[in-house]
Amino acid sequence: MTAEALPAPRAAARPLSRIFAGAAGPVAVVVLALLAVWYVAAVLANWSLVAEAFARGGIPATFGDVLAGTLGGERPVLPAPHQILAELWKTVVDTPVTSRRSLVLHGWVTLSSTLLGFAIGALTGIVLAVAIVHLRMLEKSLMPWIISSQTVPILAIAPIIIVVLGSIGIRGVLPKSIISAYLCFFPVTIGMVKGLTSPDVLQRDLMRTYSASVADTLWKLRLPASVPYLFASLKVAVAISLVGAIVAELPTGAQAGLGARLLAGSYYGQTIQIWAALFAAAILAAALVAVVGMVERLVLRAMGARR
Amino acid sequence: MRIEGSAGTGGMAATSNGVQVIDIAGLTLTFDTADGPVYALSNVDLTISEGEFVSFIGPSGCGKTTLLRVIADLERPTGGHIRVNGVSPEEARLRRDYGYVFQSPALYPWRTIEKNVMLPLEIFGLPKAERRERARTFLELVNLKGFERKFPWQLSGGMQQRASIARALSFDPRLLLMDEPFGALDEIVRDHLNEQLLRLWGKTGKTVLFVTHSIPEAVFLSTKIVVMSPRPGRIIDVIDCDLPRERTLDIRETPAFLAIAHRVRDGLRAGHSYED
Ligand SMILES: Nc1ncnc2c1ncn2[C@@H]1O[C@H](COP(=O)(O)OP(=O)(O)OP(=O)(O)O)[C@@H](O)[C@H]1O
Ligand SMILES: [Mg+2]
């Protein structure tokens, strides 16, 4: 490599090298430790099952045979990490997305109701917060209902919502989204009430000297001031709405979606399938939170946040 | 160049009828705090006519800000009589009779400097081109040309305060309430802005209420100086400042100027000794 060619790749590599220098070491140690613990746990959890199977078959088994069995069984009590990865690879990469066995297909089904639910929930949360901030009486009359709505176990009302909506002809993605919205509006409401009331006396006095209307004060002061609070809430809300969408798939006997995969897996004792679906859900949640975080950075930068 | 027709005619008509811009009698304001009442203003009498430049000077905590806030309808007096342009402070505020420069800049951090200056203009519904034009004019007036697209945190405290002055001037109010607008500025910039303000006042005939801690600044700018004293906040002297209206900074060395400055200083001293 020539001297002139050096700067460009180095400039590109610098952020990466910084990440590795900063966090990679500790992160790698933690991941390795978790993997080690997991393998030990898998061996212990599956041992008796595998040993019994050998005994039942009357096959004399060495320690090594049983050990291999605990890490390679078809329906282990606790699958080993490499089994889950293999299953993920098989159902994500090797299976066409149109297939019923494709995790991409199931992930998309859940994602679509998550996104719709998130949109409905976030919008509801914002509207509720605006109403609460502007009508003092609402805070007293509405807040207890909002809070108690979150104390009801979602598993208990999910079937009710689905049945009621189904009876008036609403099926498909919407009922699932509504359950997901039901869970995720709450942090948005709480965060936005705090954000909308965050402007200080001086900022509000300024609006008063202009005798600004309530609408002007909302659009030009309260809403811009609440944006950082909004994004903090949205990050929580988007993860919750994924949980809501998955939970909504359980009581409906949904044919597709990560929830349906979980359910089918547990019917047939397909533990590897269950774990793969769980991992897919976790990866999806992390990706959603990351996307919200990215939008947050862009928006706050446009609003003059310090870098 | 009025924005609200009603506001302009209201103010002007009132004055031509001989009504004062500010008419205060027996004004009292007591804050009820956890540690008992704070007598911020006590028995204040004051009248100010159209076109006057009135400075308020007095020790920290004597109620200067409070008095301005009462006039602006940001604080409600506990007693006495007050009229602004012949109506109650609330009515005057609702018809946007005044522009207020707060003691601290109070810029909105998510708006650029230019957008901050345009905030009142947006609220008053001016067309976009005119908002731009006015923001440009008044940012230039306070020497902030080139900083239009910066965010407040990218400016020094003094620059932020100048932006807030541009914001108050941008909608051309007939009455300006300015609470220590130049407190955070260095001497040279301060001199420059004093001259700019004086020129603007001479050209537009606005009524200005101006809080300051600087005796030379008060004498240089004012037609009238109100000396206040604390606990309870009250007016102890009103000094007419009858220097010619066209003033340059050299006037500060003339005997007439020094005589008035001397009288203000005596007034402040008297207010202080009152306390002991
Ligand atoms: N909201 C409030 N609640 C209680 N007391 C207050 C309030 N605002 C002001 N005060 C009190 O009223 C008095 C006058 O305050 P004010 O802010 O008017 O003083 P000031 O003359 O503007 O002082 P400075 O020159 O330091 O700005 C002070 O003693 C202050 O403690
Ligand atoms: Mg003050």
Side-chain angles (χ1 to χ4, degrees), chain B residues 61 63-66 103 179-180 211 213:
Chain B
K64 306 181 293 294
T65 297
T66 308
Q103 203 166 342
D179 195 350
E180 291 186 41
V211 174
H213 281 294

Side-chain angles (χ1 to χ4, degrees), chain A residues 202-203 205 208 210 220 304, chain B residues 69 73 96 108 122 153:
Chain A
L202 202 56
Q203 291 178 326
D205 277 349
R208 200 170 143 88
Y210 302 145
K220 297 185 193 304
Chain B
R69 287 177 61 85
D73 189 39
R96 295 159 175 172
Y108 288 174
E122 281 171 27
W153 64 271

